[in-house]
Coordinates of all heavy atoms in Angstrom, one line a residue:
M1 N 19.9 8.6 11.7 CA 19.1 7.4 11.2 C 18.6 7.7 9.8 O 18.6 6.9 8.9 CB 18.0 7.2 12.2 CG 17.0 6.2 11.8 SD 17.3 4.6 12.6 CE 15.9 3.7 11.9
T2 N 18.0 8.9 9.7 CA 17.4 9.3 8.4 C 18.5 9.4 7.3 O 18.3 9.2 6.1 CB 16.5 10.5 8.4 OG1 17.3 11.6 8.9 CG2 15.3 10.3 9.3
R3 N 19.7 9.9 7.8 CA 20.8 10.1 6.8 C 21.2 8.7 6.2 O 21.6 8.5 5.1 CB 22.0 10.7 7.4 CG 21.7 12.2 7.6 CD 22.9 12.9 8.2 NE 22.6 14.3 8.4 CZ 23.4 15.2 8.9 NH1 24.7 14.8 9.2 NH2 23.1 16.4 9.1
K4 N 21.2 7.7 7.2 CA 21.6 6.3 6.7 C 20.5 5.8 5.7 O 20.9 5.2 4.7 CB 21.7 5.4 7.9 CG 22.8 5.6 8.8 CD 22.9 4.6 9.9 CE 24.0 4.8 10.9 NZ 24.1 3.9 12.0
I5 N 19.3 6.1 6.0 CA 18.2 5.6 5.1 C 18.3 6.3 3.7 O 18.2 5.7 2.7 CB 16.8 5.8 5.7 CG1 16.6 4.9 6.9 CG2 15.7 5.6 4.7 CD1 15.4 5.2 7.7
I6 N 18.6 7.6 3.8 CA 18.7 8.4 2.5 C 19.9 7.9 1.7 O 19.9 7.7 0.5 CB 18.8 9.9 2.8 CG1 17.4 10.4 3.3 CG2 19.2 10.7 1.6 CD1 17.4 11.8 3.8
G7 N 21.1 7.6 2.5 CA 22.2 7.1 1.8 C 22.0 5.7 1.2 O 22.5 5.5 0.0
A8 N 21.2 4.9 1.9 CA 21.0 3.6 1.3 C 20.0 3.7 0.1 O 20.3 3.0 -0.9 CB 20.3 2.7 2.4
C9 N 19.1 4.6 0.1 CA 18.2 4.8 -1.1 C 19.0 5.4 -2.2 O 18.8 4.9 -3.4 CB 17.1 5.8 -0.7 SG 15.9 5.0 0.4
K10 N 20.0 6.3 -2.0 CA 20.8 6.8 -3.1 C 21.6 5.7 -3.7 O 21.8 5.6 -4.9 CB 21.7 7.9 -2.6 CG 20.9 9.2 -2.4 CD 21.9 10.3 -1.9 CE 21.2 11.6 -1.6 NZ 22.0 12.7 -1.2
G11 N 22.2 4.8 -2.8 CA 22.9 3.7 -3.3 C 22.1 2.7 -4.1 O 22.6 2.2 -5.2
I12 N 20.9 2.5 -3.7 CA 20.0 1.6 -4.5 C 19.7 2.3 -5.8 O 19.6 1.6 -6.9 CB 18.7 1.3 -3.7 CG1 19.0 0.4 -2.5 CG2 17.6 0.7 -4.6 CD1 17.9 0.2 -1.6
M13 N 19.5 3.6 -5.9 CA 19.1 4.2 -7.1 C 20.2 4.2 -8.1 O 20.0 4.3 -9.3 CB 18.7 5.7 -6.8 CG 17.4 5.8 -6.1 SD 16.0 5.1 -7.0 CE 15.9 6.2 -8.4
R14 N 21.5 4.2 -7.6 CA 22.6 4.2 -8.5 C 22.8 2.8 -9.3 O 23.3 2.8 -10.4 CB 23.9 4.5 -7.8 CG 23.9 6.0 -7.4 CD 25.3 6.3 -6.8 NE 25.3 7.6 -6.2 CZ 25.5 7.9 -4.9 NH1 25.8 6.9 -4.1 NH2 25.4 9.1 -4.5
D15 N 22.3 1.8 -8.6 CA 22.5 0.4 -9.1 C 21.2 0.1 -9.9 O 20.1 0.3 -9.5 CB 22.7 -0.5 -8.0 CG 22.9 -1.9 -8.4 OD1 23.4 -2.1 -9.6 OD2 22.7 -2.9 -7.7
E16 N 21.4 -0.5 -11.1 CA 20.3 -0.8 -12.0 C 19.4 -1.9 -11.3 O 18.1 -1.7 -11.4 CB 20.7 -1.3 -13.3 CG 19.6 -1.4 -14.3 CD 20.1 -1.7 -15.7 OE1 21.2 -1.2 -16.1 OE2 19.4 -2.5 -16.4
S17 N 19.9 -2.9 -10.8 CA 19.1 -3.9 -10.1 C 18.4 -3.3 -8.9 O 17.3 -3.7 -8.5 CB 20.0 -5.1 -9.7 OG 20.9 -4.7 -8.8
G18 N 19.1 -2.4 -8.2 CA 18.5 -1.7 -7.1 C 17.2 -0.9 -7.5 O 16.3 -0.8 -6.8
Q19 N 17.3 -0.3 -8.7 CA 16.2 0.5 -9.2 C 15.0 -0.4 -9.4 O 13.9 -0.1 -9.1 CB 16.6 1.2 -10.5 CG 17.5 2.4 -10.3 CD 17.9 3.0 -11.6 OE1 17.5 2.6 -12.7 NE2 18.7 4.1 -11.5
T20 N 15.3 -1.6 -10.0 CA 14.2 -2.5 -10.2 C 13.6 -3.0 -8.9 O 12.3 -3.1 -8.8 CB 14.7 -3.8 -11.0 OG1 15.4 -3.3 -12.2 CG2 13.6 -4.7 -11.4
M21 N 14.4 -3.2 -7.9 CA 13.9 -3.6 -6.6 C 13.0 -2.5 -6.0 O 12.0 -2.7 -5.4 CB 15.1 -4.0 -5.6 CG 14.6 -4.5 -4.3 SD 16.0 -4.9 -3.2 CE 16.7 -3.3 -2.9
L22 N 13.5 -1.3 -6.1 CA 12.8 -0.2 -5.6 C 11.4 0.0 -6.3 O 10.4 0.3 -5.7 CB 13.6 1.1 -5.8 CG 13.1 2.4 -5.1 CD1 13.1 2.2 -3.6 CD2 14.0 3.6 -5.4
E23 N 11.4 -0.3 -7.6 CA 10.1 -0.2 -8.4 C 9.2 -1.2 -7.8 O 8.0 -1.0 -7.7 CB 10.4 -0.4 -9.8 CG 11.0 0.7 -10.5 CD 11.5 0.4 -11.9 OE1 11.2 -0.7 -12.4 OE2 12.1 1.3 -12.6
Y24 N 9.7 -2.4 -7.5 CA 8.8 -3.5 -7.0 C 8.3 -3.1 -5.6 O 7.1 -3.4 -5.3 CB 9.6 -4.8 -6.9 CG 9.8 -5.5 -8.2 CD1 11.0 -6.1 -8.6 CD2 8.7 -5.6 -9.1 CE1 11.2 -6.7 -9.7 CE2 8.9 -6.3 -10.3 CZ 10.1 -6.8 -10.6 OH 10.3 -7.4 -11.8
I25 N 9.1 -2.5 -4.8 CA 8.6 -2.0 -3.5 C 7.5 -1.0 -3.6 O 6.6 -1.1 -2.9 CB 9.9 -1.5 -2.7 CG1 10.8 -2.6 -2.3 CG2 9.4 -0.8 -1.4 CD1 12.1 -2.2 -1.7
V26 N 7.7 -0.1 -4.5 CA 6.7 1.0 -4.7 C 5.4 0.3 -5.2 O 4.3 0.7 -4.7 CB 7.2 2.0 -5.7 CG1 6.1 2.9 -6.2 CG2 8.3 2.8 -5.1
I27 N 5.5 -0.6 -6.1 CA 4.3 -1.3 -6.6 C 3.6 -2.0 -5.5 O 2.4 -2.0 -5.4 CB 4.6 -2.3 -7.7 CG1 5.0 -1.4 -9.0 CG2 3.5 -3.2 -8.1 CD1 5.6 -2.3 -10.1
V28 N 4.3 -2.8 -4.7 CA 3.8 -3.5 -3.5 C 3.1 -2.6 -2.6 O 2.0 -2.8 -2.1 CB 4.8 -4.4 -2.8 CG1 4.3 -4.9 -1.5 CG2 5.3 -5.5 -3.7
V29 N 3.7 -1.4 -2.3 CA 3.1 -0.4 -1.4 C 1.8 0.0 -1.9 O 0.8 0.1 -1.2 CB 4.1 0.7 -1.1 CG1 3.4 1.9 -0.4 CG2 5.3 0.2 -0.3
F30 N 1.7 0.4 -3.1 CA 0.5 0.9 -3.7 C -0.6 -0.2 -3.7 O -1.8 0.0 -3.5 CB 0.7 1.4 -5.2 CG 1.3 2.8 -5.2 CD1 2.4 3.0 -6.0 CD2 0.7 3.8 -4.5 CE1 2.9 4.3 -6.0 CE2 1.3 5.1 -4.5 CZ 2.4 5.3 -5.3
V31 N -0.2 -1.5 -4.0 CA -1.2 -2.5 -4.0 C -1.7 -2.8 -2.6 O -3.0 -3.0 -2.4 CB -0.6 -3.8 -4.6 CG1 -1.4 -5.1 -4.2 CG2 -0.3 -3.7 -6.0
V32 N -0.9 -2.7 -1.6 CA -1.3 -2.8 -0.2 C -2.3 -1.7 0.2 O -3.3 -2.0 0.8 CB -0.1 -2.9 0.8 CG1 -0.5 -2.8 2.2 CG2 0.7 -4.2 0.5
I33 N -2.0 -0.5 -0.2 CA -2.9 0.6 0.1 C -4.2 0.4 -0.6 O -5.2 0.6 0.0 CB -2.2 2.0 -0.3 CG1 -1.0 2.2 0.6 CG2 -3.2 3.1 -0.3 CD1 -0.2 3.4 0.2
A34 N -4.2 0.0 -1.8 CA -5.5 -0.2 -2.6 C -6.3 -1.3 -1.9 O -7.5 -1.2 -1.9 CB -5.1 -0.5 -4.0
A35 N -5.6 -2.4 -1.5 CA -6.3 -3.5 -0.8 C -7.0 -3.0 0.5 O -8.1 -3.4 0.8 CB -5.3 -4.6 -0.6
I36 N -6.3 -2.3 1.3 CA -6.8 -1.7 2.5 C -8.0 -0.9 2.3 O -9.1 -1.0 2.9 CB -5.7 -0.9 3.3 CG1 -4.7 -1.9 3.8 CG2 -6.4 -0.2 4.4 CD1 -3.4 -1.2 4.4
V37 N -7.9 0.0 1.3 CA -9.1 0.9 0.9 C -10.3 0.0 0.4 O -11.4 0.3 0.8 CB -8.7 1.9 -0.1 CG1 -9.8 2.7 -0.7 CG2 -7.7 2.9 0.6
G38 N -9.9 -0.9 -0.4 CA -11.0 -1.8 -0.9 C -11.7 -2.6 0.2 O -12.9 -2.7 0.2
F39 N -10.9 -3.1 1.1 CA -11.5 -3.9 2.2 C -12.4 -3.0 3.1 O -13.5 -3.4 3.5 CB -10.5 -4.6 3.0 CG -9.9 -5.8 2.4 CD1 -8.5 -6.0 2.3 CD2 -10.7 -6.8 1.9 CE1 -7.9 -7.1 1.8 CE2 -10.1 -7.9 1.3 CZ -8.7 -8.1 1.2
R40 N -12.0 -1.8 3.3 CA -12.8 -0.9 4.1 C -14.1 -0.5 3.3 O -15.2 -0.4 3.9 CB -12.0 0.4 4.4 CG -11.0 0.2 5.4 CD -10.4 1.5 5.9 NE -9.4 1.2 6.9 CZ -8.7 2.2 7.5 NH1 -8.9 3.4 7.2 NH2 -7.8 1.8 8.4
L41 N -14.1 -0.4 2.0 CA -15.2 -0.1 1.3 C -16.2 -1.3 1.3 O -17.4 -1.1 1.5 CB -14.9 0.2 -0.2 CG -14.3 1.6 -0.4 CD1 -13.8 1.7 -1.9 CD2 -15.2 2.7 -0.1
V42 N -15.6 -2.5 1.1 CA -16.5 -3.7 1.2 C -17.1 -3.8 2.5 O -18.3 -4.2 2.7 CB -15.7 -4.9 0.7 CG1 -16.5 -6.2 1.0 CG2 -15.3 -4.8 -0.8
K43 N -16.3 -3.6 3.6 CA -16.8 -3.7 4.9 C -18.0 -2.7 5.2 O -19.0 -3.1 5.8 CB -15.7 -3.4 5.9 CG -16.1 -3.5 7.4 CD -14.9 -3.1 8.3 CE -15.4 -3.1 9.7 NZ -14.3 -2.7 10.6
G44 N -17.9 -1.5 4.6 CA -19.0 -0.6 4.8 C -20.2 -1.0 4.0 O -21.3 -0.9 4.5
I45 N -20.0 -1.5 2.8 CA -21.2 -1.9 2.0 C -21.9 -3.1 2.7 O -23.1 -3.2 2.8 CB -20.7 -2.4 0.6 CG1 -20.2 -1.1 -0.2 CG2 -21.8 -3.1 -0.1 CD1 -19.5 -1.4 -1.5
V46 N -21.1 -4.1 3.3 CA -21.7 -5.2 4.0 C -22.4 -4.8 5.2 O -23.5 -5.3 5.5 CB -20.6 -6.3 4.3 CG1 -21.1 -7.3 5.2 CG2 -20.1 -6.9 2.9
S47 N -21.8 -3.9 6.0 CA -22.5 -3.5 7.2 C -23.8 -2.7 6.9 O -24.8 -2.9 7.6 CB -21.5 -2.6 8.1 OG -21.2 -1.4 7.4
R48 N -23.8 -1.9 5.9 CA -25.0 -1.2 5.5 C -26.1 -2.2 5.0 O -27.3 -2.0 5.4 CB -24.7 -0.1 4.4 CG -24.2 1.2 5.0 CD -24.0 2.1 3.9 NE -22.9 1.5 3.1 CZ -22.2 2.2 2.2 NH1 -22.4 3.4 2.0 NH2 -21.2 1.6 1.6
G49 N -25.7 -3.2 4.3 CA -26.6 -4.2 3.8 C -27.2 -5.0 5.0 O -28.4 -5.3 5.0
T50 N -26.3 -5.3 5.9 CA -26.8 -6.0 7.1 C -27.8 -5.2 7.9 O -28.8 -5.7 8.4 CB -25.6 -6.4 8.0 OG1 -24.7 -7.2 7.2 CG2 -26.0 -7.3 9.2
A51 N -27.5 -3.9 8.0 CA -28.4 -3.0 8.8 C -29.7 -2.9 8.1 O -30.7 -2.9 8.7 CB -27.7 -1.7 9.0
K52 N -29.7 -2.8 6.8 CA -31.0 -2.7 6.0 C -31.8 -4.0 6.1 O -33.0 -4.0 6.3 CB -30.7 -2.4 4.5 CG -30.3 -1.0 4.2 CD -30.0 -0.8 2.8 CE -29.6 0.6 2.5 NZ -29.3 0.8 1.0
A53 N -31.1 -5.1 6.1 CA -31.8 -6.4 6.2 C -32.4 -6.6 7.6 O -33.5 -7.0 7.7 CB -30.8 -7.5 5.9
S54 N -31.6 -6.2 8.6 CA -32.2 -6.4 10.0 C -33.3 -5.4 10.2 O -34.3 -5.7 10.9 CB -31.1 -6.2 11.0 OG -30.6 -4.8 11.0
A55 N -33.3 -4.2 9.6 CA -34.4 -3.2 9.8 C -35.6 -3.7 9.0 O -36.7 -3.5 9.5 CB -34.0 -1.9 9.2
S56 N -35.5 -4.4 7.9 CA -36.6 -4.8 7.1 C -37.2 -6.1 7.8 O -38.4 -6.3 7.7 CB -36.2 -5.2 5.7 OG -35.4 -6.3 5.7
I57 N -36.4 -6.9 8.5 CA -37.0 -8.0 9.2 C -37.7 -7.5 10.5 O -38.8 -8.1 10.8 CB -35.9 -9.0 9.5 CG1 -35.3 -9.7 8.3 CG2 -36.3 -10.1 10.5 CD1 -34.1 -10.5 8.6
G58 N -37.2 -6.6 11.1 CA -37.8 -6.1 12.4 C -38.9 -5.1 12.1 O -40.0 -5.1 12.3

């Protein structure tokens, strides 16, 4: 299975349009990772703000 994947990646790397497609895939993966990290950070900030607000009211 991994040999087929490696062979496909080598085939893509040899083709110029495949290289461009591979670059787009890498960019999308990095954007998705950054979005996940960003959402987790925002979620933490919001939950802390909510906790502070509820503590100040109570």
Side-chain angles (χ1 to χ4, degrees):
M1 172 101 178
T2 56
R3 288 184 183 180
K4 289 182 181 179
I5 294 172
I6 291 172
C9 288
K10 285 182 181 178
I12 289 173
M13 290 300 292
R14 289 187 190 120
D15 184 23
E16 187 173 326
S17 63
Q19 288 178 0
T20 305
M21 184 179 69
L22 190 62
E23 289 172 0
Y24 285 135
I25 291 170
V26 169
I27 290 169
V28 168
V29 167
F30 282 130
V31 167
V32 168
I33 291 171
I36 291 171
V37 170
F39 284 131
R40 287 188 179 183
L41 287 173
V42 169
K43 181 182 173 184
I45 291 169
V46 168
S47 66
R48 280 182 292 201
T50 306
K52 286 180 182 179
S54 66
S56 67
I57 291 173

